[in-house]
Amino acid sequence: MKLFDRDLSWLSFNYRVLMEAMDQSVPLLERLRFIAIYSSNLDEFFRVRVANIRNIQLIDKKKINKRIDFNAQTLLEEIHSEISHQLDEYGAALKKIIEELREKNHVICMHTDEIPKQLNAQLLHYFKTKVSAFLRPIEVTNHQPLFLDNQAIYLAVELKLGKVEIVNIPTQHLSRFSSFKIGDRTYYIFLDDIIRLHLDILFPKRDIISAHSIKLNKDSDLQIDDEFAGNLVKKIEKQIQKRNLGIPSRFLFDINMSNELISKLAKKLELMPEDMITGGRYHNLNDLFQIDIKNTDCIYPSMQTVSVPQLESSRSIFESIEKQDRLLHFPYQSYDYVLQFFNEAATDPDVREINVTFYRMAKRSIIAEALISAARNGKKVAVFMEVKARFDEENNLEWARKMRAAGVKIIYSLPGLKVHAKVALVKKSDKMYGFFGTGNLNEKTSEIYCDHGLLSTNEEMTKELSEVFQHLLTRYTPPPFNQLIVSQFGAIEAFISKIDREIQHSEAGREARLIIKINNLQESRLIEKLYEAADKGVDVKLIVRSICCLIPKENLRVKRIVDRYLEHGRVFYFHNDGAQEVYLGSSDWMNRNLHRRIEVCFPILEDRMKQEILTILKFQWQDDVKGVWLSQQIENVRPVNEKNIRAQTSTFEYLRDQYG
């Protein structure tokens, strides 16, 4: 079975992000933000995926007498080749954006030579009173080890007589950019350059030859040897502290650095040739997010969320849900309804119990505060906290401590599994209210992620959700699920069964089609079944935002959408000879989701709600503005723009019409 490599497929997705930065129809500051997103994505790719391949490489070296494993080495070469091509376009795109911003009197100074002399006094004052407090130069010597923080940026300063000093750029304490107004123009100056301009103060009476930016990425995945023995939380906390000690995965350095200095640093940091990546004058350009321009011509127009009149007019969200289940679409509709669900649960005297799963929490979580209030109001509150959510471990642990101190029962990660489900259950003496989501219970990300959420009192669904929580809380083995599709409890088999049913319809001469919208597609059994379905005449439509290991073919097309909001919802549609089935859920079709996580997918039962989902899917499939086709060469191919349909805009308009 032929498949795309998952890492090369991901790079194809990140290039699609870069395409938005190059799209002249995107507002100027938003294009700059797509540059920042691309940079941030690539940085994480090196810290996790490339580091993982390098780990495999190191293990194979030990196993086979220091002979590099051919597959790992070849893949690394392909990755670096693709990234090199992308970075050429990235540099050209950034240069064009900076030029266009300059025309609008917003000047991002890309060299100290571009900084107006009128600012010298202000910059000197800022350096002396703020910046210098955080500078800790390290002399590079033969007898002392050199340690660089993961992902941090530094200046490698060459001094006379062969001396080298490493100067930290303290972006964890100070903004990366300082802005100054001169007449009609606003200048944005890198913190790096403010330090460069004043190195003579940092190194008085020493001749400075050059100062170049460097950065070291390290393996940032947590390495937990045995999740089943001992205290898992303590192991995670310990590994978080060790994140700075991972093996190198990329050393970025200014292309203008001397070969002598490059060699000296490579030797000192014990780097391999494949770790060495040439870059520009500045690194960590995800910091471009910090540039905030108020000019409305430079940003996306504001979008007014669509109200749900029945929820707005009701004094109790529970009373409204009792009358009718409510399907919500974020960010088109306000996440305030979800917050109201938790806030009311915290104060309603009839609520006895609240169960919630968290994967990635907001730093200032109103939901968590509501749960703390609920516990203090005497309700039984149990939270399953996933503390293995990469790069959110510390925030999740901190919230877990706060909630536990207030009397919330906290259950931490399951050994060998992550809990990625996005669900909550509120229990009264006579009724249960469920929240089923495709995205995290996180009010911050809900503003920029396209997700769906269902508020329901359906007895079968809430009963099965209660069984899920019983499993999480007590390791109880639930009976088979009839409504929900839950990974670790036959999810792959359930999806395969539904695809097989479409194959049977096709073989019987009936209409057969399915639409799967997910973020990532990798699981080989499901890909094989999709290939089979397409070969047997089923019309297979896939909307896959990021990784897609499946190769498109006849009857099997793949669309990728990247737009203003991050497409995050997972939708599963099966025509079923007209008895249509629609499921939403938290699960992608990746090995990790289906084999190593607890995921919950849930049915949409009401015809009205099914129609809403199918209409949104139709917009997405027809999107010829922000949608691209994935080619058999893993390329993003723009469709012929005939209908000028932009899914996110059309969804807003459709929901406004639906909800008045």
Side-chain angles (χ1 to χ4, degrees), residues 641-653:
N641 193 315
E642 295 177 343
K643 298 181 179 179
N644 199 35
I645 292 174
R646 183 174 175 180
Q648 293 183 2
T649 303
S650 297
T651 300
F652 257 121
E653 293 169 352

Side-chain angles (χ1 to χ4, degrees), residues 311-337:
L311 293 178
E312 291 290 338
S313 61
S314 176
R315 294 182 65 83
S316 167
I317 197 165
F318 294 133
E319 289 179 6
S320 180
I321 302 168
E322 286 169 14
K323 294 174 184 174
Q324 187 179 43
D325 286 0
R326 302 295 176 187
L327 179 62
L328 301 171
H329 312 281
F330 314 115
Y332 310 107
Q333 293 170 311
S334 174
Y335 205 73
D336 287 351
Y337 301 125

